[in-house]
Amino acid sequence: MTHRRFHLPRLAGVACQAMIAFAMVPPAALAQESTVAATAVVQQPRAFGHVLGDVVTQRILLPADGRTVDPAALPRPERVSGWLERRPVQWETDAEGRRWMRVTYQIVNAPQSLTAIALPVLSLPMTRGPALRTGAHLISVGPLTPQAVLGKGDLLEMRPDRPVPILPTAQIARRMELWLAALSVTVAAWLGWWAWRNRRESRRLPFARAWRRMRQLDPAQSEAWLCLHQALNETAGTVLRAATLPGLLARAPHLQPLCRQLQHFYAQSDQRFFSGEAAAESFPLRALCRDLYLAEKRARP
């Protein structure tokens, strides 16, 4: 059998603090309160063995005559002292059908030595009749560890927090490298396909070839005009003139928005090559070639 040794001076200090706490309540106040409030039936938590972080609960029995606590007077969740913080009130019904109100406190401070603290006195106004009043209840709170420990070794002082172990990340890193490699291959393949497609179509599509060549020519030269005529003829599948322009637009409807510019182009071309007179105004040949190339590019499958 194990015998526990009680420290009489420490317990005597706790008892003295309890007597002082009760003595601080004026007798007149107690007499007046007894006339207006009824003592509640309370199941108190144990009075000893508590430390920082513990949760203590009071269970208050409600009257069985249907009266309820005024909602505006319910204890609010808040810090009630340097030692206690009150949590939200809860309700429960026991096996006999009786209703209880649970008032819970958490200890939020740690004393340097064994200390007695008091749970707050509650006065609960009812919807009718006298209020319910709970009496003071003392509990003892002990330190997490004494400041000095007898003996030798690691127990002489409190030790710092244990360092958090480093999680193994090698497998995560390898998996990330694989995903990055797969992404890089996918992006490279897409860029290669895109470059190959543009290069292939720049050689196959008429206006793409004309635009590539037009950027190297002077728009004022006849060669630049003939380059655009050749692209239009290839797109229409025949030699085009201003009168046969509707056939081109029927075969290539994506060029329909450029109908007015094409009519102007053929009018300027006829004046340039067949009238023997210089054009009265400059024609934006390079801009028209670029617009035709972009329209062809958007229309390709």
Side-chain angles (χ1 to χ4, degrees), residues 7-8 29 41 67 83 146 188 205 222 248 260 274 287:
H7 298 278
L8 295 181
V41 176
R67 290 184 297 155
W83 302 100
L205 299 177
S222 298
L248 170 67
R260 182 171 300 178
F274 299 108

Side-chain angles (χ1 to χ4, degrees), residues 7-8 96-97 114 199 202 233 244 278 282:
H7 298 278
L8 295 181
E96 300 178 5
L114 186 64
R199 184 178 179 85
S202 67
N233 293 339
T244 58
S282 61

Side-chain angles (χ1 to χ4, degrees), residues 57-58 60 62 69 71 73-78 86-92 99-105 122 124:
T57 302
Q58 288 181 325
I60 304 172
L62 300 179
V69 180
L74 289 175
R76 295 181 301 174
E78 59 185 352
R86 185 162 47 219
R87 293 183 172 183
V89 172
Q90 296 179 337
W91 308 89
E92 64 179 26
R99 295 196 63 202
W100 297 80
M101 184 174 70
R102 292 168 53 94
V103 184
T104 305
Y105 301 91
L122 297 178
L124 304 174

Side-chain angles (χ1 to χ4, degrees), residues 12-301:
V14 174
C16 290
Q17 294 183 24
M19 295 174 63
I20 293 173
F22 279 106
M24 291 177 64
V25 181
L30 292 177
Q32 181 181 3
E33 185 68 26
S34 63
T35 61
V36 297
T39 301
V41 176
V42 183
Q43 291 183 356
Q44 302 284 10
R46 71 174 189 273
F48 56 89
H50 300 287
V51 293
L52 172 67
D54 284 355
V55 175
V56 295
T57 302
Q58 288 181 325
R59 299 176 72 245
I60 304 172
L61 180 62
L62 300 179
D65 55 2
R67 290 184 297 155
T68 58
V69 180
D70 185 1
L74 289 175
R76 295 181 301 174
E78 59 185 352
R79 183 79 171 262
V80 297
S81 68
W83 302 100
L84 299 172
E85 181 174 347
R86 185 162 47 219
R87 293 183 172 183
V89 172
Q90 296 179 337
W91 308 89
E92 64 179 26
T93 304
D94 60 14
E96 300 178 5
R98 298 180 300 179
R99 295 196 63 202
W100 297 80
M101 184 174 70
R102 292 168 53 94
V103 184
T104 305
Y105 301 91
Q106 185 169 25
I107 301 173
V108 294
N109 206 343
Q112 297 294 323
S113 60
L114 186 64
T115 304
I117 63 175
L119 300 183
V121 175
L122 297 178
S123 180
L124 304 174
M126 308 297 289
T127 52
R128 66 177 188 275
L132 288 180
R133 177 183 174 85
T134 64
H137 183 70
L138 292 178
I139 60 175
S140 64
V141 180
L144 291 178
T145 184
Q147 292 183 345
V149 180
L150 299 178
K152 299 179 179 180
D154 294 338
L155 293 178
L156 292 178
E157 297 180 355
M158 293 183 63
R159 289 177 290 178
D161 293 338
R162 185 175 60 182
V164 178
I166 301 177
L167 295 177
T169 59
Q171 184 177 1
I172 299 176
R174 287 194 299 269
R175 190 175 301 171
M176 183 67 69
E177 291 174 357
L178 291 176
W179 281 112
L180 288 176
L183 177 62
S184 301
V185 171
T186 302
V187 172
W190 185 86
L191 290 176
W193 172 85
W194 180 79
W196 170 81
R197 183 170 181 259
N198 286 345
R199 184 178 179 85
R200 178 177 66 100
E201 294 189 351
S202 67
R203 296 179 178 180
R204 181 176 62 89
L205 299 177
F207 292 119
R209 293 199 309 271
W211 171 242
R212 186 176 61 179
R213 187 180 178 190
M214 183 72 69
R215 288 180 294 178
Q216 303 172 358
L217 298 175
D218 183 3
Q221 296 177 353
S222 298
E223 186 179 357
W225 287 76
L226 295 176
C227 176
L228 189 55
H229 270 291
Q230 184 179 358
L232 289 167
N233 293 339
E234 290 183 13
T235 303
T238 185
V239 177
L240 278 179
R241 298 187 304 274
T244 58
L245 186 59
L248 170 67
L249 301 179
R251 183 171 182 176
H254 55 277
L255 302 180
Q256 185 69 38
L258 300 173
C259 177
R260 182 171 300 178
Q261 292 91 319
L262 289 173
Q263 291 175 350
H264 190 199
F265 166 76
Y266 277 99
Q268 292 289 319
S269 179
D270 290 343
Q271 182 179 0
R272 180 185 183 91
F273 291 104
F274 299 108
S275 66
E277 299 178 358
E281 58 179 340
S282 61
F283 183 80
L285 185 66
R286 184 171 291 175
L288 176 60
C289 184
R290 185 188 65 247
D291 293 341
L292 291 170
Y293 161 68
L294 294 176
E296 179 185 61
K297 184 177 180 180
R298 288 193 295 267
R300 66 186 177 182

